[in-house]
Amino acid sequence: MDGLAVRLFGQVGATFGGAGLNLGAPGPRSLFARLALSAGETVTADDLVDALWGEVPPRTARSTVYTYVSTLRKALGDMVVGSRAGYRLAVPPEAVDLRRFENGFRDARRLWSADDFCGALAQCEQAVQEWRGTPLAGAVGPFVQRERDRLAALRVDVQELRCAALIEVGRADETIVDLSELAAANPLRERPHALLMTAQHRTGRTAEAHQTYDRVRKALDDELGIEPGRALREAFELIREPTEAAVVPAQLPHGVAHFTGRARMLRQLQTAEPGSVAVIDGQAGVGKTTLAVRFAHLVADRFPDGQLFVDLRGFDARAKPVTVAEALNRMLRALGAEDQPADRGEHYRSLLADRKVLVVLDNAVNAEQVRPLLPNAPGCLTVVTSRNRLTLDGPRVGLNTLSPAESVALLASVLGADRVRQDPDAAGELAEQCGHLPLALRVAAERMGSGSYALVDMVQELRREEDRLDALADEDDELSDVRAVFRLSYRSLEPLPARAFRLLGRHPGTEIDLHEAAALFDTDLDAARDTMAGLLRQHLVEQTATDSYRLHDLLRIFAAEQPEAHADAAVVRLIECALASAHAARVELTPGLGDIVHDANCPHLTPIGYDAALVWAAERLPTLAATVRAAADRGHDRLAAQLAATLAVLCYGTSHWTLWLQVIDIGLAAARRTGDLLNIARLCNDAGVAYHYFLNRPDIAAECHEAAAEILVQLDPEDPSVAANLAVAHTRLDRHRGSLALLKRDLTTAREQGNLFLEAIAALNLSELLSERGESERALEYAREGAELLKRTGSRHRHMVGHATENRGVALLAGGHLAEAIGHLEEALAIWQELGNQRAMGTAMHSLAEARHRAGHTAGVRELLTAALPLAADHTRASAIRALLAEVSAAASPR
């Protein structure tokens, strides 16, 4: 039963694979505790009876023990082993937190005896972490109090040894509070007083050390009538004489458990030469301190004269940033300097001039806080961490979030590989919800570590964005509370960047364009760029490309939580800017369809050409779609409908079919709420095109176009937008019904309107219908006409060019002009592959394969048909492909 964990500190319990086990009432739970104290060893029945009832057990004691064992076996199975000698809990000692506590102290004493003070400190730290509440809580019986008394005494021993190790590694200042509490709780115990005196003396508080000695000597005399023992006398002699031996500080904190990833960053840091300054910067919670400490431990042996570590508290809600004078005082004391001269910096640099010391300056607020603390010595290396980008000479490591694989690896490290392996999808989603931020991942994993949560439970809790930061909080540890850590960075901002940060949280998309930022801030582009640069230096935004930025998902949620009086006005400006930008791109891609809006205005927008518009559309569509949803959610239905209608050409031109259907649904609902008939008709037309080309549902497509036509005939026929959309509806309906006369009428109407683009569409539709009827020569005539008209519009709309090219190829194939047909169909297939239009790729592959087969060009024909088959839009097309594939195979078979 691998994976069983036993908890004896706090409420007695056990978990398996992270899930809590039901150990029953206090009786069986107490028996379990007694067995766990001797994990892996047999406990006799007499010992169990004595533990639970003492010297006067009831007559039914043995049968009750048997009953308790039966209860435990229901939860633990064969982990409770019975024999003639007694009962045994079949788990290794390291599965029991109390035994890990004891073993950690045992190893610490062994390392202390070997003068390995760093190792002893690490073992003590691990032992202390196991103590998580009153031992054996919930257990009953005479053995409970005996065990608690024993462990309480052992805990004092651990605390004393930990403080002694801290003093020996040059971190005496960290022990003063703990030793003062220990001494107060044990007024007649000499060791904590002796250690306190030593720590006070080492940190320059020798007068206080004398007071401590006088106080304990008086207590011993008053209470016991004895003089101080050897330890106290030796400590007193120490504080009476100056220390001449050089002090070798070893102040590095214990490295975090489950360190994962960052291999490239560690290699980058290891290239830093002595005499330089390595800077690690990144956003809150990304693991800067963790990386710095990990690196420092890896290279500590290169610095035999010691390691200094100072938390500069640049972002600490509980205290102000450490001043330069305070930091120098701490480092000088750690280096053994008792007196603090007026020029501390000069004295500090003099002490390090000929030494090899590693200096870690954590959580720096700015370069001014750091520069006076740099050793300026050829043998010393300084590592600085900060949430801000610091201007310091030396290599810089910009720390980003973990990769998806590293995030899952971190979860597996904390939770156990088996647990993650059992539900990899949930682990991946959890990593995504945490934004791949190490702090968030650790908080989530720690919450699940208790066994009360499964992966899917945590994922479900984090799915609601408004609850996500609450779920990633730790009430007992502010430094492990994601929201609290973000708040420290936010509070360091000046008013203008703080406002900008709040407004960025209202942006609905992932990528933030500089034009959109300027609209949110209500500034020009240069001012917006300066503002974003400031937030970038403080790692509150990331730059993804030139003038393109991103807010980490969790930071975006945090920013949106902050009150902002002018948020709605900023969002309206953002939507209007998005509408103007999208409309400009639409005009570039497809001129001649009529304007969606006549007053679209984004003052920061620069003119763009066709190629730039196509690239822009492909990059910005997810954000524009999110803006449509945000507009509708905030009640700006008119803008939501206009933007949804504007995006039609952009979605069609870049093959974003699924996204388009989502946009249409939101836009239609918004247009109907405002009674916006023209945009209802536009979006119905859009839905018809999407259903026809993407979902291959011509029946539903026809219904959509009919709905559009019914509305449009009631509107002003002189309005170019009405006329253009009515022509689209009729063209699609005529194609669906196979009406040659109606398609010719649409061609005439487009000519009368002087709309070359609609005229080209009508000609191409006529070509396709005539080709389906077998009238290849007339089909070819209209295909040529459509292509020429399209060229005259100046449009390079790749979808329209693809349709025109494929129509000509199909018409040429039907007319027997095979060589020309192959050329056009190859060109059309290349366009569809470029655009990722799967349905069109299937038809072009089919036609190209037929043309090559009929021309006797057998190479690659079978491969084309095999690739086209899964892309067939309907059963008829699939049957035709299979028939041609059979014909090609038969022709290739030896006779």
Side-chain angles (χ1 to χ4, degrees):
M1 197 172 184
D2 294 337
L4 185 71
V6 178
R7 183 178 62 251
L8 297 183
F9 286 117
Q11 187 74 19
V12 171
T15 60
F16 177 65
L21 302 178
N22 183 5
L23 301 180
R29 190 177 295 269
S30 301
L31 187 140
F32 171 81
R34 178 61 188 86
L35 291 176
L37 287 170
S38 303
E41 301 175 0
T42 298
V43 183
T44 67
D46 288 341
D47 285 342
L48 291 174
V49 169
D50 180 66
L52 295 176
W53 292 283
E55 296 180 357
V56 189
R59 287 184 299 171
T60 58
R62 284 182 173 270
S63 61
T64 303
V65 166
Y66 180 79
T67 302
Y68 289 170
V69 168
S70 298
T71 300
L72 292 176
R73 281 177 172 161
K74 291 178 182 178
L76 300 167
D78 58 4
M79 296 302 294
V80 180
V81 180
S83 67
R84 291 183 179 180
Y87 298 96
R88 173 170 56 91
L89 184 64
V91 296
E94 57 268 21
V96 183
D97 58 357
L98 190 151
R99 295 299 296 275
R100 292 196 298 272
F101 171 79
E102 293 176 317
N103 292 342
F105 180 48
R106 180 199 63 208
D107 292 342
R109 286 191 299 182
R110 175 178 53 79
L111 292 166
W112 174 271
S113 299
D115 291 336
D116 183 355
F117 305 125
C118 289
L121 176 59
Q123 289 298 323
C124 285
E125 296 279 12
Q126 289 185 11
V128 167
Q129 289 177 8
E130 297 293 346
W131 191 290
R132 297 182 180 179
T134 302
L136 305 175
V140 295
F143 83 102
V144 173
Q145 192 55 52
R146 292 197 301 268
E147 196 62 24
R148 285 177 183 163
D149 291 343
R150 181 183 71 85
L151 289 169
L154 192 60
R155 187 187 189 193
V156 174
D157 291 339
V158 172
Q159 291 172 313
E160 289 176 349
L161 184 57
R162 173 181 171 274
C163 290
L166 280 167
I167 292 170
E168 290 300 325
V169 300
R171 294 163 61 186
D173 57 327
E174 298 178 35
T175 68
I176 301 294
V177 173
D178 290 343
L179 286 171
S180 297
E181 292 176 354
L182 267 179
N186 301 273
L188 301 179
R189 187 178 174 105
E190 295 192 16
R191 183 161 171 74
H193 291 85
L195 289 170
L196 178 58
M197 290 163 57
T198 304
Q200 290 169 329
H201 177 60
R202 293 274 183 92
T203 54
R205 299 155 69 171
T206 304
E208 294 179 32
H210 280 280
Q211 293 171 359
T212 300
Y213 179 74
D214 291 340
R215 186 167 50 250
V216 68
R217 182 178 62 178
K218 185 176 185 304
L220 289 170
D221 184 41
D222 291 345
E223 297 293 329
L224 304 177
I226 61 174
E227 290 295 317
R230 179 180 176 184
L232 272 173
R233 292 196 306 272
E234 288 179 350
F236 183 63
E237 290 301 319
L238 175 69
I239 67 175
R240 292 177 61 187
E241 298 175 6
T243 302
E244 297 180 359
V247 176
V248 178
Q251 295 186 323
L252 296 180
H254 187 61
V256 69
H258 313 295
F259 184 89
T260 303
R262 308 303 195 196
R264 181 176 62 82
M265 286 77 180
L266 283 171
R267 287 195 298 271
Q268 188 176 347
L269 286 169
Q270 286 172 334
T271 63
E273 295 291 336
S276 66
V277 181
V279 179
I280 304 171
D281 58 44
Q283 73 177 76
V286 81
K288 300 178 293 296
T289 301
T290 299
L291 177 63
V293 172
R294 178 72 168 187
F295 165 70
H297 279 291
L298 289 174
V299 300
D301 59 347
R302 302 183 197 171
F303 302 93
D305 295 321
Q307 304 89 41
L308 295 169
F309 183 95
V310 181
D311 182 355
L312 296 175
R313 295 179 180 170
F315 306 88
D316 193 327
R318 299 164 298 182
K320 293 180 179 180
V322 173
T323 65
V324 171
E326 290 171 338
L328 286 170
N329 283 343
R330 293 181 188 180
M331 291 193 288
L332 285 170
R333 286 197 298 267
L335 292 166
E338 292 297 334
D339 298 325
Q340 303 299 326
D343 194 341
R344 298 177 182 86
E346 184 177 321
H347 187 46
Y348 163 70
R349 287 186 290 275
S350 297
L351 285 175
L352 295 184
D354 299 319
R355 298 191 191 185
K356 294 182 178 180
V357 175
L358 176 65
V359 180
V360 181
L361 303 174
D362 194 31
N363 287 317
V365 68
N366 53 38
E368 287 68 30
Q369 188 187 26
V370 169
R371 286 197 182 97
L373 308 179
L374 301 179
N376 193 28
C380 296
L381 173 65
T382 306
V383 180
V384 181
T385 76
S386 179
R387 297 186 191 182
N388 298 329
R389 289 193 178 182
L390 307 184
T391 306
L392 295 169
D393 295 331
R396 171 184 166 269
V397 175
L399 204 56
N400 297 315
T401 53
L402 296 170
S403 69
E406 288 172 334
S407 298
V408 173
L410 177 57
L411 290 173
S413 178
V414 178
L415 298 174
D418 289 342
R419 197 168 169 191
V420 169
R421 196 180 298 117
Q422 288 167 4
D423 200 346
D425 292 339
E429 185 175 350
L430 177 60
E432 185 71 26
Q433 290 167 336
C434 290
H436 307 291
L437 188 70
L439 173 62
L441 289 163
R442 289 182 184 279
V443 172
E446 288 297 330
R447 286 194 59 190
M448 289 183 290
S450 65
S452 58
Y453 277 8
L455 272 168
V456 291
D457 296 330
M458 197 67 192
V459 165
Q460 186 64 32
E461 185 172 351
L462 293 177
R463 277 184 180 151
R464 284 172 51 88
E465 281 196 356
E466 54 267 39
D467 297 334
R468 194 169 297 171
L469 292 180
D470 291 329
L472 295 174
D474 187 335
E475 297 178 358
D476 298 326
D477 184 0
E478 192 174 47
L479 295 180
S480 296
D481 184 328
V482 174
R483 181 188 282 111
V485 170
F486 286 166
R487 188 179 296 116
L488 299 178
S489 292
Y490 171 64
R491 286 178 176 172
S492 71
L493 295 174
E494 296 294 328
L496 285 179
R499 172 182 176 270
F501 177 69
R502 294 192 297 271
L503 292 176
L504 290 174
R506 271 68 182 183
H507 191 286
T510 302
E511 299 291 326
I512 304 170
D513 179 81
L514 186 65
H515 296 86
E516 297 165 346
L520 280 171
F521 305 158
D522 200 15
T523 61
D524 59 33
L525 287 179
D526 288 339
R529 188 179 288 110
D530 289 343
T531 299
M532 296 302 282
L535 294 174
L536 190 65
R537 284 192 296 272
Q538 293 172 295
H539 288 284
L540 288 170
V541 298
E542 305 168 31
Q543 188 162 16
T544 56
T546 303
D547 290 344
S548 183
Y549 305 88
R550 178 180 180 270
L551 214 63
H552 186 275
D553 288 346
L554 297 180
L555 270 174
R556 176 178 52 78
I557 295 170
F558 173 79
E561 290 180 345
Q562 310 312 308
E564 171 52 50
H566 305 291
D568 197 61
V571 171
V572 170
R573 290 194 301 271
L574 172 67
I575 299 169
E576 290 175 340
C577 182
L579 178 58
S581 303
H583 200 274
R586 175 182 184 272
V587 171
E588 291 285 350
L589 294 176
T590 316
L593 285 183
D595 290 336
I596 302 292
V597 288
H598 300 285
D599 57 348
N601 179 40
C602 183
H604 319 296
L605 189 64
T606 54
I608 53 177
Y610 179 89
D611 291 335
L614 196 65
V615 171
W616 182 88
E619 292 176 348
R620 300 304 299 165
L621 266 172
T623 295
L624 292 168
T627 305
V628 174
R629 183 177 296 279
D633 289 345
R634 286 178 169 267
H636 304 299
D637 286 332
R638 180 183 64 85
L639 292 171
Q642 290 175 336
L643 184 54
T646 302
L647 297 187
V649 168
L650 279 63
C651 290
Y652 181 82
T654 55
S655 299
H656 279 75
W657 303 107
T658 303
L659 188 68
W660 190 15
L661 286 169
Q662 295 170 355
V663 167
I664 289 169
D665 286 343
I666 298 170
L668 262 177
R672 284 168 177 155
R673 285 194 293 270
T674 59
D676 185 352
L677 294 178
L678 179 54
N679 279 317
I680 293 173
R682 282 178 173 134
L683 290 162
C684 283
N685 266 340
D686 293 344
V689 174
Y691 274 109
H692 179 78
Y693 281 101
F694 176 55
L695 295 178
N696 192 38
R697 292 296 304 273
D699 50 340
I700 298 179
E703 292 175 4
C704 294
H705 291 305
E706 284 173 350
E710 288 177 7
I711 295 172
L712 290 164
V713 295
Q714 305 172 36
L715 303 179
D716 181 5
E718 301 301 321
D719 185 332
S721 294
V722 173
N725 276 277
L726 190 59
V728 170
H730 281 163
T731 298
R732 296 295 177 186
L733 287 170
D734 296 343
R735 277 278 311 283
H736 176 65
R737 295 164 180 160
S739 173
L740 192 61
L742 288 173
L743 283 174
K744 286 182 177 179
R745 187 198 66 189
D746 290 329
L747 180 60
T748 301
T749 301
R751 284 172 178 163
E752 290 173 352
Q753 292 177 349
N755 192 323
L756 292 178
F757 190 75
L758 292 178
E759 190 179 349
I761 293 175
L764 292 172
N765 281 319
L766 271 167
S767 170
E768 193 167 343
L769 181 58
L770 287 166
S771 183
E772 290 171 358
R773 289 185 170 194
E775 300 181 41
S776 56
E777 291 303 321
R778 293 180 65 196
L780 181 57
E781 178 184 337
Y782 279 114
R784 287 170 176 158
E785 181 181 352
E788 181 60 31
L789 286 165
L790 194 62
K791 187 182 298 182
R792 286 171 57 194
T793 67
S795 171
R796 292 183 290 159
H797 192 291
R798 297 296 282 163
H799 270 84
M800 293 307 305
V801 173
H803 284 303
T805 306
E806 185 173 358
N807 281 0
R808 289 188 71 179
V810 171
L812 287 163
L813 172 62
H817 307 288
L818 300 179
E820 289 183 79
I822 289 172
H824 281 81
L825 290 169
E826 286 177 342
E827 182 181 348
L829 178 57
I831 292 172
W832 298 136
Q833 288 172 330
E834 171 195 335
L835 295 174
N837 190 325
Q838 300 286 313
R839 180 180 184 276
M841 283 166 58
T843 61
M845 286 176 178
H846 180 199
S847 299
L848 178 58
E850 183 177 354
R852 286 181 176 175
H853 175 60
R854 287 170 56 182
H857 302 164
T858 58
V861 171
R862 187 180 301 175
E863 289 77 8
L864 277 171
L865 291 170
T866 302
L869 190 57
L871 304 179
D874 51 45
H875 177 71
T876 302
R877 173 74 66 176
S879 297
I881 293 172
R882 289 192 185 95
L884 182 56
L885 187 57
E887 183 180 332
V888 170
S889 298
S893 300
R895 298 181 181 275

